[in-house]
Each structure stands twice: as structure tokens, then as C-alpha cells.
Amino acid sequence: MAKKSSILLIYTGGTIGMINDPISGQLKPFNFKRLLDEVPELRKFDIKIDTFSFEKPIDSSNMHPAIWIELVKLIEKNYLKYDGFVILHGSDTMAYTASALSFMLENLGKPVILTGSQLPIGTIRTDGKENLITAIEIAAAKRNGKPSVPEVCIYFEFKLFRGNRTIKVNAEHFRAFTSPNYPSLADAGVHLNYNDAAIMHYPKGKLKIHTDMNLNVAVLKLFPGITKEVVDAILGIKNLSAIVLETFGAGNAPTEKWFVHAIEKAIKNGLIIFNVTQCNAGRVEQGLYQTSSELARVGVVGGSDITTEAAITKLMFLTGKEKNHKKIILQLGENIRGEQEGK
Ligand code: ASP
């Protein structure tokens, strides 16, 4: 008989575990034990579920790379003990955390499924129960003795997405997430249908965690009329290692001389600039239009179809672990964890 699967359920906070504060009327995180009491269905599972709660559950707007480091250390410490991990997390920054964890967990061979909800689990119409129950089922699922989905994912409203391909698109609907440039990894209906062709292969090497995340990064979002003062202020930030340049359409930017010069000068001074489109879907193709040729010429790195969430965490990760500029730039253009199209 196959051994019972076991998962570690990690609670960081988020709406799923919040209650209405009777005094202020605001939503605040509450304790994990109460959260589990709200889902007696979990006891019916033939899965061993252990739990770990962060001492102070947070609204995910307070998420920080220091907590990502705690999470990957926790996963490493418990890696051999469990078949999979479920992380309860606020939806607001879930796509950032999922992206960061995908980079920080090299050679991940087990599921790490992030989920949460739009309504607290204690409310009658909550979306939290289904999200939690199915996320646990996916984290415990195996095929031929191996985990069905050995990657960092987000499960929300009947869809399993690759974490570093996911963006939050709705602050109200239960369908809060989408993965515009990569297919879903599984769809939950009457059956749980896995999209095997899209799921990452089991890794060859052993799990290796990375905890050096460099926070000297920024996002510069372009808009028509952006002034030289704004651009110079961001590019001139002391000790800045890299920025995500959020451009228009297929990676286009103004061709005004002051702008191109500012970008060129920053790159010459050692800043890494990663070009990501403001569009949800599609990709950056530097050189397709005249308005992106200059960026390519001065050394901006095209980010293909990567999301901003994955791009900023990829920059933190690469500039944290690697000091050689050429190597960072090379890896920025590559697909290292399934986060973008590329070799
Ligand atoms: N503000 C909440 C959070 O991100 C929203 C949610 O959980 O959906 O923690």
C-alpha cells in the first residue's frame, strides 16, 4: 500500500485568515488554530497535514524579502519530511512571493503551492475553503511515486498557475489571478486535470536554496510626459544595481535625446536595465519598432514575456548571488525557472 502523503501547511497571513475587528471594522489577521477550525473538511483527507504559523500573521502588503528567506529556510529544513508545501498568503503580493521563491529554490522537486482568498475563511460565501482544500490535494498529488507538480505555483479559483507567470488582476472577483503568457498547470472541475506538457520536469540536482536577495533595485514605469527630473532621480539613486524599465507595447520608449542619453549613461555607470512591457500579455521585442532600437543599442536587456513581479525578483536574485555583470545580463535573457520565454 502506498504511504500516506504528508504536507506542511504554512500560514503567513492574508484575508483567508482575517476577521472583522469589531472596534475598527477593518480586516485583521487572526490566529491559525481558528482558521483550521473553520475547515473541518481537512480532517477527512487521507493526507497527513502538519502546520506552521508565522508568529505574527501579516497582510501581504507587509511582505518583505526577509520573510521569503524565512520561507525558503523552512522549506529546506522540512524538505525531506514532506511531500509538498502549501503556503497561505495574502493575494495582494502573492505573485511576488511566488516569483521570488521560484528563484530562491533551485532544483525544486516538490510542490510549493501558494493560496489564499478574497473573503475570510470564516465567512459563509468564502472562496478560501475550496482554495485551501484543492491546494492541499495538489501539493500531495503524486504520479508514479513522484510529485505531480514539482514547482512553485499559485492555486486560486479552480486554476493552478506557474507562480512566476502569474499576476493579480482583480481586487474583487474570486478569479483574482491570471497567467497571460503561460497556460494553467491544472484545472479543477469534477476532476483535477493536470496539463502535463506545461509542468516543469523533475529536477536532476538536489534542492539548493539562495538567500542573498539584493534590494537595491527599482521599477521605472514610463508614461507619456514623464520628465527628465523623474527619470534622472530614479536612475541616479545611490547604490542602485538594476531596474525594471516598464515600457509601452512591445518594449517601446520615447526616442527623445535626453531620455536615451540618461539610459545610456546609467548603463555605462554599471546599472542593469531590464525591459518589461506594461501590457499583461505579449512580449518585448527590442528592435521591432524604431522606438525600441535605441534601447537595444545602448545595452538595455529585453525581458521577453516576463511579468514585472518575476522581473523585479529575478533582478534581486541575480544581482544578489552574482557579481559579474556579463553573467547577470546573460541569465536575464535566459529562462532560468520557467519565468520567461527563452533558451
Ligand atoms: N490585503 C490582503 C493581503 O494581501 C488581501 C488578500 O489576502 O487577498 O494580505
Side-chain angles (χ1 to χ4, degrees):
M1 206 177 75
K3 211 177 118 241
K4 194 167 162 171
S5 289
S6 61
I7 66 122
L8 182 62
L9 177 61
I10 303 166
Y11 178 49
T12 67
T15 298
I16 192 160
M18 291 189 184
I19 41 161
N20 246 312
D21 184 297
I23 300 164
S24 66
Q26 289 166 343
L27 281 172
K28 285 187 173 168
F30 71 100
N31 116 355
F32 195 37
K33 166 107 189 26
R34 275 188 66 179
L35 188 148
L36 292 180
D37 287 346
E38 296 287 349
V39 201
E41 292 89 337
L42 291 180
R43 293 193 201 106
K44 293 190 192 158
F45 259 141
D46 192 26
I47 298 169
K48 183 174 179 292
I49 305 170
D50 288 341
T51 57
F52 178 93
S53 177
F54 277 77
E55 218 162 280
K56 211 175 159 284
I58 55 164
D59 183 302
S60 78
S61 300
N62 284 317
M63 189 41 70
H64 190 276
I67 304 178
W68 298 339
I69 294 170
E70 284 187 57
L71 279 169
V72 297
K73 284 185 177 168
L74 184 68
I75 289 170
E76 183 188 42
K77 196 170 143 212
N78 290 285
Y79 194 65
L80 297 177
K81 224 170 135 193
Y82 296 98
D83 296 301
F85 301 84
V86 173
I87 302 177
L88 296 179
H89 192 292
S91 63
D92 289 349
T93 61
M94 194 183 286
Y96 289 91
T97 297
S99 299
L101 297 189
S102 76
F103 296 118
M104 296 165 85
L105 295 164
E106 187 175 347
N107 289 329
L108 181 67
K110 297 191 176 182
V112 173
I113 316 292
L114 286 98
T115 194
S117 66
Q118 294 280 57
L119 276 178
I121 209 146
T123 55
I124 292 173
R125 287 178 48 251
T126 186
D127 51 330
K129 281 193 187 185
E130 198 286 320
N131 286 348
L132 173 59
I133 290 167
T134 307
I136 290 175
E137 197 169 337
I138 292 169
K142 284 193 195 155
R143 183 120 50 92
N144 303 325
K146 287 197 167 156
S148 299
V149 193
E151 43 176 306
V152 180
C153 304
I154 288 182
Y155 179 76
F156 224 87
E157 192 63 6
F158 307 114
K159 294 267 184 201
L160 183 73
F161 296 122
R162 174 168 295 163
N164 58 27
R165 290 293 198 149
T166 309
I167 51 175
K168 183 172 180 182
V169 286
N170 205 303
E172 190 180 333
H173 289 175
F174 288 156
R175 182 158 292 176
F177 290 93
T178 185
S179 165
N181 282 327
Y182 199 75
S184 55
L185 304 185
D187 294 284
V190 172
H191 301 288
L192 258 173
N193 288 319
Y194 290 96
N195 181 0
D196 290 326
I199 295 172
M200 215 169 272
H201 293 297
Y202 200 75
K204 290 199 177 79
K206 274 190 166 172
L207 177 77
K208 183 175 175 207
I209 66 162
H210 297 272
T211 54
D212 291 324
M213 296 295 270
N214 174 16
L215 305 193
N216 291 314
V217 293
V219 178
L220 171 54
K221 181 170 185 159
L222 297 180
F223 55 90
I226 192 167
T227 62
K228 187 171 179 314
E229 286 72 21
V230 169
V231 172
D232 285 346
I234 293 182
L235 297 182
I237 294 171
K238 218 171 132 226
N239 295 329
L240 197 64
S241 305
I243 65 158
V244 170
L245 181 67
E246 268 204 8
T247 55
F248 309 122
N252 306 318
T255 48
E256 284 172 84
K257 276 211 168 67
W258 68 263
F259 179 78
V260 179
H261 282 159
I263 296 284
E264 188 169 19
K265 190 173 135 214
I267 291 174
K268 280 201 176 128
N269 288 337
L271 189 73
I272 292 164
I273 304 189
F274 198 27
N275 185 354
V276 174
T277 175
Q278 293 177 14
C279 298
N280 281 349
R283 63 187 39 78
V284 165
E285 286 181 73
Q286 291 191 151
L288 183 65
Y289 289 85
Q290 194 204 354
T291 42
S292 65
S293 300
E294 284 293 271
L295 298 183
R297 183 187 65 77
V298 301
V300 172
V301 187
S304 183
D305 58 354
I306 198 168
T307 63
T308 295
E309 290 86 334
I312 194 77
T313 51
K314 188 174 183 179
L315 287 180
M316 287 180 185
F317 164 70
L318 286 178
T319 58
K321 89 168 171 78
E322 184 66 72
K323 295 297 158 233
N324 181 309
H325 258 231
K326 276 203 185 129
K327 282 193 187 163
I328 297 173
I329 284 166
L330 203 74
Q331 289 187 71
L332 274 180
E334 288 173 359
N335 173 9
I336 58 175
R337 298 279 195 275
E339 75 282 5
Q340 70 191 59
E341 208 174 62
K343 56 174 171 60

